Amino acid sequence: MKISLAFFSQNHTRFWQLLLPLLFTVLTLVIAAGFLFRTEDEPPRKIVQSSQPVVVTGMTVTQSAEPPPLRLHGTVTPRYRLQLSTEVSGKVVFLNRKFVVGGYVKAGELLIGLDDSSYRYELTALKAELASADLELQREMERASLAARDWREFGHGIAPPLVLRTPQLAAARATFEKAEADLKRATLEQQKTAIRAPFDALVVGLTVSPGSVVSAGAPVAELFSTSSAEIRLPVSPQQAALIRLPAAGEQEAVTISWKQGTRPMLRQGYLVRSEGFFDPHSRFTHALVEVPDPYALQGAETALAMGRFVEVALPLVSLTGAVQLPETALVDEHHILRVNSYQQLEYVPVTLVHRYGDSIVVTGALKAGDTIVSVPPAYPVAGMKVRVVPAEKDPSHG
């Protein structure tokens, strides 16, 4: 019985080894036949090449007498920034009510008063010393005069200096001059207990309060000048050759813009100079723009706070054939697409002068009235037929 079961198991395995390849072959033929029958019912597909022109967004080139400005960015900084320190030590007994962070103070205005009682006591003592030295000097001058008269009446030859009291008179005069200098020094130190604003300023830091004891040289506040501000604009060597710098002693009006929330703000400033050297690390120089009365304390201008990041439009030298275009018009860094009279694309070589935001300024073989493609198609080819659709909004003016 065991032998017959083993024999049946071996025959069963060989049966399936022969049947499975046959079933796979039959199934493959059935699927292929079904596919052929299905495709015979469908008409053959034709690849039709469209003869319609490609729709592109374009714009008309315009040129102005003045080249578009160079737009650079920088931070507004005070012309003068000072860590205010005391020159003498003492206890703070007075603090100006305007002398707070965010407060405005005028040049010469008293900011801090230190206790000057010890300096006044010293002044009193030094005045007494000066009076004593002055009296001694007067006496010595009289003695020297009498000694000279006596020598003329009773002496012979050249009088010795000690006889004429010359050294004694010199010592008395030196003592008087020292007492006088000590009094002036003490008077100056007593005056230094009154700390005044060196210029019109905004208080941006304060480290003292009434009752504080400060030592000589200790910083007590930080001040920003408010008479004028500066904006340092980084300029590359290529851009430096394009900026129209004013002559020495002159200035060029520029427009400063920034956003206050969502509201665009404008302010006028003046390009006054270039720093005149290139940083060896960044290879950039800086143009200096001056902003008079940045906080509008003396006029109706828009206030421009220190530390704000702004955009400045600088005037350029005259550029022949300069054109302002949207940045998307560039096919690469050296070409744009122009539509000729046959409504075909042609590549035009250009030189990229500078770019800012979504706009660029280029020079090249472009003239007013030319139609250029502001948004090139995916695969532009010279000679491609196109149909130009004007842009809804010209990016170069938006």
Side-chain angles (χ1 to χ4, degrees), residues 316-380:
L316 298 184
V317 296
S318 180
L319 294 173
T320 304
V323 176
Q324 185 176 355
L325 301 174
E327 186 180 23
T328 54
L330 279 177
V331 180
D332 51 44
E333 290 295 309
H334 306 289
H335 294 89
I336 64 169
L337 293 172
R338 178 169 56 192
V339 181
N340 61 24
S341 57
Y342 300 102
Q343 297 298 299
Q344 294 176 327
L345 294 182
E346 57 184 21
Y347 279 78
V348 179
V350 294
T351 299
L352 179 61
V353 177
H354 72 92
R355 71 175 77 209
Y356 61 94
D358 297 331
S359 299
I360 57 172
V361 175
V362 298
T363 57
L366 291 173
K367 59 183 182 297
D370 282 352
T371 300
I372 63 105
V373 179
S374 56
V375 183
Y379 302 102

Side-chain angles (χ1 to χ4, degrees), residues 120-363:
R120 286 188 284 107
Y121 298 152
E122 186 179 4
L123 278 175
T124 302
L126 290 175
K127 286 177 182 178
E129 288 183 12
L130 179 61
S132 177
D134 182 49
L135 176 61
E136 184 61 28
L137 177 61
Q138 297 301 324
R139 288 175 177 173
E140 197 57 49
M141 290 173 66
E142 186 63 26
R143 293 182 190 126
S145 177
L146 291 174
R149 187 184 64 184
D150 290 346
W151 183 262
R152 284 194 302 270
E153 292 180 1
F154 307 108
H156 301 281
I158 300 174
L162 284 175
V163 173
L164 297 180
R165 302 190 65 82
T166 301
Q168 295 89 327
L169 180 60
R173 182 172 285 110
T175 301
F176 171 80
E177 290 176 351
K178 178 182 180 299
E180 189 176 43
D182 287 343
L183 181 62
K184 289 180 179 179
R185 174 187 52 77
T187 301
L188 184 60
E189 288 185 349
Q190 192 264 343
Q191 292 173 350
K192 289 177 179 178
T193 59
I195 303 167
R196 301 181 181 274
F199 44 73
D200 293 351
L202 167 69
V203 183
V204 295
L206 187 64
T207 59
V208 294
S209 59
S212 299
V213 177
V214 297
S215 57
V220 294
E222 185 174 10
L223 305 179
F224 285 177
S225 64
T226 56
S227 59
S228 65
E230 291 183 341
I231 306 171
R232 293 177 74 242
L233 302 171
V235 180
S236 69
Q238 295 78 11
Q239 293 168 336
L242 301 173
I243 297 175
R244 191 170 69 219
L245 288 172
E250 298 181 0
Q251 54 190 17
E252 186 87 28
V254 297
T255 300
I256 304 166
S257 59
W258 70 98
K259 282 193 175 181
Q260 195 160 300
T262 58
R263 186 170 52 147
M265 309 295 289
L266 294 176
R267 178 74 188 263
Q268 188 179 58
Y270 300 93
L271 176 63
V272 291
R273 68 185 185 279
S274 167
E275 288 188 346
F277 67 93
F278 286 90
D279 185 277
H281 302 290
S282 67
R283 305 300 180 188
F284 274 63
T285 186
H286 287 85
L288 271 295
V289 171
E290 186 176 307
V291 186
D293 189 22
Y295 284 96
L297 301 176
Q298 301 173 358
E301 287 273 10
T302 305
L304 179 56
M306 304 297 176
R308 188 175 287 280
F309 191 69
V310 296
E311 179 181 87
V312 182
L314 299 181
L316 298 184
V317 296
S318 180
L319 294 173
T320 304
V323 176
Q324 185 176 355
L325 301 174
E327 186 180 23
T328 54
L330 279 177
V331 180
D332 51 44
E333 290 295 309
H334 306 289
H335 294 89
I336 64 169
L337 293 172
R338 178 169 56 192
V339 181
N340 61 24
S341 57
Y342 300 102
Q343 297 298 299
Q344 294 176 327
L345 294 182
E346 57 184 21
Y347 279 78
V348 179
V350 294
T351 299
L352 179 61
V353 177
H354 72 92
R355 71 175 77 209
Y356 61 94
D358 297 331
S359 299
I360 57 172
V361 175
V362 298
T363 57

